[in-house]
């Protein structure tokens, strides 16, 4: 089953969220067979969770703290996310790595905390444009994987998301051949790191996924689904992406 996750980032108010969630839940009910995850801003989680009662659509946070609790003003714990109805949490998104200086070690600790709390972390990795142009993409991604995945992970308890930084919000997408090659690389490194068989590891693709390229991307070998930013804020567009995963 393909996975379609929507990362709303710092967008959305209650009215917009309500309309969007209703459309997504309705589409999910009419066209099952895709695991749909919505990651709204933290302030909307509890409300969205009540709107999703009776629907198969899952809820995810956009980040969590590595510690269980403590004096960390402005941060959100994994337990808080779970209590707000989350089953998933995005960790190590490139915007967190860039604007909050999160390191692979931070991402590994957050992922471990998420797993210990019963959440499934969506661990994001991906090279920048300059790293790609320097021929470093595979090396960078390998380092990120080795250092961001927790030491002991069981099958089905984490997801990976390959998001080339230069493809996020730019309308630029790697070629299908590039995506296929990188996902193969990610699967083999992740299998080596975790000791799991690669068919048991799921890798989403993210970066400028839209209704008109989602089907082609999800058909690529090694792509388990998509992590969608901008296009997840438009009900019609996101519903089309969901339909592409069937
Ligand atoms: P985008 O963002 O779909 O707007 O490119 C993807 C992401 O950052 O997860």
């Amino acid at each position: 089953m393909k996975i379609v996750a929507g990362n709303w980032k710092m967008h959305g108010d209650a009215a917009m969220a309500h309309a969007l969630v209703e459309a997504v839940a309705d589409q999910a009910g009419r066209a099952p067979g895709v695991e749909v995850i919505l990651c709204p801003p933290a302030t909307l989680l509890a409300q969205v969770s009540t709107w999703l009662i009776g629907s198969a659509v899952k809820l995810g946070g956009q980040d969590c703290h590595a510690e269980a609790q403590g004096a960390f003003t402005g941060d959100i714990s994994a337990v808080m996310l779970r209590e707000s109805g989350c089953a998933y949490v995005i960790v190590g998104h490139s915007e967190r790595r860039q604007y909050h200086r999160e390191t692979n070690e931070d991402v590994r600790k957050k992922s471990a905390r998420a797993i210990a709390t019963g959440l499934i972390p969506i661990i994001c990795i991906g090279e920048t444009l300059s790293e790609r142009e320097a021929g470093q993409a595979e090396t960078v991604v390998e380092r990120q994987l080795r250092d961001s995945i927790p030491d002991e992970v069981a099958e089905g308890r984490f997801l990976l998301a390959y998001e080339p930084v230069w493809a996020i919000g730019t309308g630029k997408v790697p070629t299908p051949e590039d995506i296929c090659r990188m996902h193969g690389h990610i699967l083999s490194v992740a299998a080596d790191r975790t000791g799991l068989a690669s068919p048991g590891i799921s890798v989403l693709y993210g970066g400028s996924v839209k209704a008109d390229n989602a089907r082609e991307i999800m058909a690529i070998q090694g792509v388990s689904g998509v992590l969608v930013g901008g296009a997840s804020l438009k009900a019609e567009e996101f519903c089309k992406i969901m339909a592409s995963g069937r």
Side-chain angles (χ1 to χ4, degrees):
M1 181 152 72
K2 296 290 184 193
I3 299 162
V4 173
N7 171 15
W8 293 8
K9 309 192 179 185
M10 198 171 72
H11 294 288
D13 55 27
M16 165 273 195
H18 197 197
L20 185 49
V21 169
E22 288 217 318
V24 169
D26 182 57
Q27 167 72 16
R30 279 189 286 118
V34 178
E35 171 86 337
V36 180
I37 308 163
L38 293 182
C39 303
T43 50
L44 289 169
L45 285 171
Q47 229 175 339
V48 171
S49 144
T50 64
W51 296 333
L52 287 177
I53 289 170
S55 138
V57 175
K58 303 287 194 340
L59 199 56
Q62 296 179 8
D63 176 51
C64 69
H65 199 280
E67 297 297 329
Q69 58 182 37
F72 303 107
T73 303
D75 283 313
I76 293 171
S77 74
V79 170
M80 292 167 184
L81 292 179
R82 202 189 57 204
E83 275 202 350
S84 303
C86 291
Y88 292 85
V89 58
I90 299 170
V91 285
H93 188 280
S94 67
E95 287 149 17
R96 301 290 313 176
R97 292 177 184 266
Q98 184 182 349
Y99 303 127
H100 296 264
R101 297 196 177 76
E102 287 187 10
T103 63
N104 290 327
E105 190 187 355
D106 295 327
V107 177
R108 184 174 73 242
K109 288 179 177 164
K110 288 177 178 215
S111 302
R113 176 64 60 192
I115 292 169
T117 310
L119 299 176
I120 297 180
I122 304 173
I123 305 171
C124 300
I125 44 155
E127 82 285 358
T128 63
L129 185 59
S130 58
E131 288 162 345
R132 169 161 286 241
E133 285 175 348
Q136 296 294 308
E138 301 210 342
T139 319
V140 167
V141 164
E142 172 157 7
R143 183 81 274 137
Q144 289 176 330
L145 284 167
R146 293 202 182 275
D147 294 349
S148 301
I149 299 176
D151 288 338
E152 280 173 26
V153 282
E155 190 174 315
R157 299 308 304 157
F158 70 104
L159 296 177
L160 299 173
Y162 170 57
E163 299 204 302
V165 179
W166 52 274
I168 295 176
T170 59
K172 295 191 185 122
V173 179
T175 63
E177 294 72 28
D178 278 346
I179 294 177
C180 186
R181 197 176 317 116
M182 187 58 94
H183 277 240
H185 175 62
I186 290 168
L187 283 168
S188 78
V189 172
D192 184 59
R193 167 81 177 107
T194 60
L196 301 172
S198 54
I201 300 172
S202 297
V203 188
L204 312 183
Y205 167 80
S208 295
V209 175
K210 305 272 185 280
D212 62 9
N213 62 15
R215 187 175 296 281
E216 184 187 17
I217 290 171
M218 280 193 271
I220 298 170
Q221 193 183 351
V223 175
S224 303
V226 286
L227 178 53
V228 186
S232 74
L233 296 166
K234 300 172 204 149
E236 202 187 327
E237 180 97 3
F238 192 68
C239 288
K240 282 186 188 155
I241 297 172
M242 289 165 61
S244 307
R246 299 185 71 210

